[in-house]
Amino acid sequence: ESTAGELSSIDLLTCQPRARQILVAEDKVQLPRLYRTWHSPAANTREDAALTVFGDALGSGKNSRLYKALVYDKQIAQSANAFQSASEIGGTFGIIVTAKPGHTLAEMNAVVDSILQDVLTNGVTATEVEKSLTGMEAGIINSLSTVLGKATNLANYYSFTGDPGGINTQMDLYKGMTPAEVLTVAKKYLTKPDVVLSMVPLGKSELAVQNSH
């Protein structure tokens, strides 16, 4: 149940925090995991498409920026992912990083901040955009290769848009997508306050990102 104090920290029109929220949870986990989440646009919009491309460049696959920096170069994380997850009236953009033993989520967060600041300043590359679009098209084709896949997609498009035929025009949202457009949309959403959740093993709160206030 939300308290008045909790509600006052949320913009109720956008469900977006007015300031960065630092949260810590302890559970029966082996390794600490960092979750960063921002409010983002709804599904089946051009902005949703742009943030999907941005998420691919930032943290989808072993050649993505976060994975390369955290897992390969610094070797302080087990995994690193970024993604746009949209629904009917809104969405979330998320980053998830699992630390290696002996490393804290404060370390993970510092690297995430550095990588994110760099890409929000300098943008994604044309190669990253093209790679994302190619992967997107392949994923759509694969999702329609079975009867179950077609039925699921038809149902989803009917539910979200009222037009099941939208499965035939899924890539239209990505037509003409440029690095400049991707950067503009990313700046619009990812420079705003986010929620930072540290999931740590029981009794290991010192591994969490600490609130500076």
Side-chain angles (χ1 to χ4, degrees), residues 66-179:
L66 286 176
Y67 196 99
K68 187 173 183 300
L70 287 158
V71 180
Y72 282 148
D73 296 344
K74 297 182 180 296
Q75 298 185 15
I76 60 175
Q78 295 276 57
S79 63
N81 300 284
F83 51 89
Q84 160 69 356
S85 178
S87 193
E88 189 170 3
I89 62 174
T92 57
F93 186 90
I95 293 174
I96 303 176
V97 179
T98 303
K100 277 190 172 182
H103 295 278
T104 71
L105 296 183
E107 290 180 81
M108 307 301 115
N109 199 49
V111 177
V112 169
D113 275 340
S114 176
I115 298 295
L116 189 58
Q117 184 57 51
D118 176 68
V119 71
L120 287 175
T121 299
N122 300 307
V124 298
T125 67
T127 299
E128 287 172 325
V129 172
E130 184 60 31
K131 181 180 177 181
S132 174
L133 298 185
T134 299
M136 199 87 56
E137 190 166 16
I140 289 172
I141 291 172
N142 288 336
S143 73
L144 298 176
S145 63
T146 65
V147 173
L148 178 60
K150 289 177 182 176
T152 300
N153 274 274
L154 285 166
N156 284 340
Y157 269 85
Y158 180 75
S159 176
F160 279 88
T161 70
D163 178 18
I167 64 170
N168 297 315
T169 58
Q170 293 180 63
M171 286 303 295
D172 287 359
L173 282 175
Y174 297 87
K175 282 184 178 179
M177 188 74 69
T178 65

Side-chain angles (χ1 to χ4, degrees), residues 19-24 106 109 113 194 196 198 205 208-213:
R20 169 176 279 187
Q21 304 294 302
I22 306 292
L23 308 174
V24 180
N109 199 49
D113 275 340
D194 62 335
V196 181
S198 297
S205 61
V209 174
Q210 303 299 320
N211 197 326
S212 59
H213 299 294

